[in-house]
Amino acid sequence: MLKALENKLDGGRWFALNDKVFALRTLREAYGQVRRNGGSAGVDHVKVADFGKRLEEELGKASEQLRQGSYQPQKIKRVEIPKAGGGTRPLGIPTVRDRVIQTAVRDVIEPIFERKFEERSYGFRPGKGCKDALRKVDQLLKQGNYYVVDADIRSYFDNIPHDKLMNRVREEIADGKILKLIESYLKVGIFDGLQEWTPSTGTPQGAVLSPLLSNVYLDPFDREMKTSGYELIRYADDFVILCQTKEDAEQALEHTQGWMLENGLELHPEKTKIVDLREGYFEFLGYRFENGRRRPRPKSKDKLKDAIRAKTKRTNGCSMELIIEKANSSLSGWFNYFKHSTKDWDFKDLDGWIRMRLRSILRKRLGKAGCGRGQDHQKWPNQYFHEMGLFSLHRAYLDARQSSTR
């Protein structure tokens, strides 16, 4: 995409971007991404499939409005989604049309910002991901960085100051129509049941542009930490700073608090702390790091259990083969992420718990109450479920460890 963006102002900012966004080819590719991602309808109740039925008409209309600079996004539908540890998180759902246009904007401007982003930022970055961040954390721990600043930005996505964010966008982009479009997405109304309001800060979680804009806003923080010599690992608004001494960690935390305050943000006082890994633990991207070990954090296991519970209710009328097939889809995906744990305890425990759920279903079908226990282990031994194709987390872990040592 950068090769197509040839015109730059003397100040180094990019202009003449709008024609790249409203090009029908760009919009078609954007719709393809939205279709693959799926998702619910917005406030207009138009589903992705419905939009696709009149695709050329919709894209043509959007293209013309973008060309003229008259396009206005519709309100965002706000819903609450459950969090693994309890409670809910607000999620904004733009209309399909707005998701397509936001995707087109992101596809055009993302390469401009990507070329300057710091390498220690891993969230929502092309070619980067959680495992890259975790590998870097592991590397730094092995180098003796036992003091960890475990930080949490309070309601980051809701509190990003619009004016400061737009100033950072303007450092790279000079196209007025694109700037107006981005700002319109930040200020679009929120519809939540019978309530409706216009946000004065933040960028909605769930909006296509939000991850990129969140990285744009925190990139100066990444740079300042690097310049100051701190080992920062950041994934979106989740980050840790690994240090060799307690004094370094205290200075890093003080520096971080100062930067956040100057930029309209705040660290959560109860969730931000300094951890000495020889005495405590920290959690990052689903893993718990403790005593030189890396394992799934309790909330990660709880989330898997919730998924398995939904698929293994005792009143489930499906065949055991189908129940196991559905459970396997959750188990294999979960294992693929947590297979880098350093011990097998959690996999053993979860395997036993899952088999108990399945034995309880079989007991129910024989007219017996209660959980699978006692003689049920002889009636339906572990091998029974293995032969039926149940994915074993522990067996998969041992196979992965053996493969890695060959």
Side-chain angles (χ1 to χ4, degrees):
M1 181 64 74
L2 274 178
K3 292 180 179 179
L5 307 178
E6 297 176 350
N7 298 322
K8 292 186 70 175
L9 295 179
D10 292 339
R13 298 186 299 160
W14 296 84
F15 69 102
L17 299 174
N18 192 46
D19 61 322
K20 313 300 186 300
V21 173
F22 69 66
L24 287 174
R25 177 180 177 181
T26 305
L27 293 173
R28 287 192 193 99
E29 291 177 352
Y31 170 73
Q33 295 176 59
V34 171
R35 182 183 58 197
R36 288 190 291 274
N37 292 333
S40 304
V43 295
D44 61 356
H45 306 294
V46 175
K47 299 178 180 178
V48 176
D50 297 330
F51 189 90
K53 291 177 182 177
R54 51 180 188 273
L55 183 62
E56 293 307 313
E57 176 187 350
E58 290 285 1
L59 296 187
K61 186 190 302 182
S63 177
E64 181 59 23
Q65 290 177 343
L66 289 168
R67 187 183 67 81
Q68 295 176 356
S70 62
Y71 183 86
Q72 289 294 324
Q74 292 180 272
K75 291 180 175 60
I76 290 177
K77 181 172 72 175
R78 182 166 176 159
V79 298
E80 299 288 333
I81 58 174
K83 297 170 66 174
T88 61
R89 174 184 292 110
L91 181 68
I93 304 177
T95 64
V96 175
R97 195 163 182 248
D98 285 330
R99 298 209 294 270
V100 169
I101 294 175
Q102 284 194 46
T103 302
V105 173
R106 184 202 61 197
D107 289 351
V108 169
I109 70 173
E110 184 176 62
I112 293 172
F113 291 100
E114 269 295 321
R115 66 192 176 92
K116 58 168 280 187
F117 281 161
E118 280 297 323
E119 63 178 356
R120 295 293 180 85
S121 163
Y122 294 90
F124 310 116
R125 302 282 307 277
K128 292 192 173 188
C130 293
K131 291 185 178 180
D132 300 301
L134 291 166
R135 274 192 286 268
K136 191 62 184 179
V137 168
D138 190 55
Q139 176 187 336
L140 291 169
L141 291 175
K142 289 177 179 177
Q143 292 173 358
N145 294 279
Y146 299 130
Y147 291 91
V148 181
V149 178
D150 184 5
D152 182 274
I153 305 176
R154 190 197 293 269
S155 301
Y156 173 59
F157 282 87
D158 290 336
N159 290 319
I160 301 174
H162 288 169
D163 55 346
K164 290 184 171 66
L165 172 59
M166 288 306 301
N167 285 340
R168 283 169 199 176
V169 174
R170 291 188 187 97
E171 289 176 5
E172 296 294 323
I173 294 175
D175 189 310
K177 289 180 179 177
I178 294 297
L179 292 170
K180 178 184 174 183
L181 185 59
I182 294 173
E183 194 158 18
S184 71
Y185 280 122
L186 294 176
K187 298 184 180 300
V188 70
I190 307 293
F191 185 77
D192 185 358
L194 298 177
Q195 294 184 325
E196 187 177 327
W197 73 94
T198 301
S200 58
T201 60
T203 177
Q205 294 190 60
V208 178
L209 272 173
S210 291
L212 174 60
L213 294 177
S214 72
N215 278 333
V216 168
Y217 197 69
L218 285 180
D219 183 64
F221 172 64
D222 300 340
R223 293 178 174 279
E224 184 159 329
M225 291 295 103
K226 179 179 180 180
T227 300
S228 301
Y230 297 122
E231 299 285 5
L232 167 73
I233 307 296
R234 183 173 68 80
Y235 191 96
D237 60 332
D238 194 3
F239 67 90
V240 290
I241 305 172
L242 287 83
C243 305
Q244 296 265 339
T245 68
K246 183 179 180 180
E247 291 73 21
D248 286 345
E250 290 171 343
Q251 292 174 6
L253 177 55
E254 183 179 356
H255 199 148
T256 298
Q257 289 171 325
W259 190 94
M260 295 295 166
L261 184 63
E262 290 176 5
N263 288 272
L265 301 172
E266 178 187 7
L267 294 181
H268 198 298
E270 297 175 1
K271 297 181 180 180
T272 299
K273 58 187 179 297
I274 293 175
V275 178
D276 180 349
L277 277 182
R278 290 162 295 192
E279 301 175 358
Y281 67 86
F282 74 96
E283 295 178 342
F284 186 57
L285 299 180
Y287 276 90
R288 173 173 288 187
F289 295 82
E290 183 178 18
N291 295 327
R293 297 189 295 267
R294 183 176 60 250
R295 59 187 298 195
R297 68 174 186 163
K299 287 182 179 180
S300 300
K301 293 189 290 184
D302 290 343
K303 188 173 182 180
L304 174 65
K305 284 186 173 184
D306 287 343
I308 296 300
R309 283 191 185 98
K311 297 177 178 181
T312 58
K313 295 180 179 179
R314 289 200 299 155
T315 55
N316 195 314
C318 298
S319 67
M320 183 54 63
E321 290 85 356
L322 184 56
I323 293 172
I324 287 176
E325 181 182 339
K326 291 180 178 180
N328 283 351
S329 65
S330 296
L331 295 171
S332 58
W334 191 87
F335 174 76
N336 188 53
Y337 186 78
F338 289 105
K339 64 184 178 182
H340 304 288
S341 300
T342 52
K343 295 292 181 180
D344 63 354
W345 309 325
D346 299 291
F347 302 120
K348 278 185 177 180
D349 290 344
L350 285 168
D351 275 348
W353 178 83
I354 292 162
R355 289 191 294 264
M356 179 274 293
R357 298 280 303 178
L358 297 177
R359 290 186 180 107
S360 298
I361 295 174
L362 294 170
R363 281 179 61 87
K364 174 73 173 178
R365 293 178 178 179
L366 293 178
K368 298 180 180 180
C371 299
R373 63 186 185 275
Q375 292 184 350
D376 295 333
H377 290 263
Q378 283 74 48
K379 188 174 184 64
W380 301 292
N382 296 352
Q383 185 63 22
Y384 170 83
F385 297 106
H386 174 65
E387 291 174 356
M388 293 194 74
L390 178 64
F391 185 93
S392 168
L393 297 168
H394 187 237
R395 189 186 298 266
Y397 178 77
L398 295 179
D399 288 344
R401 296 285 286 185
Q402 187 175 9
S403 297
S404 65
T405 57
R406 286 174 182 169

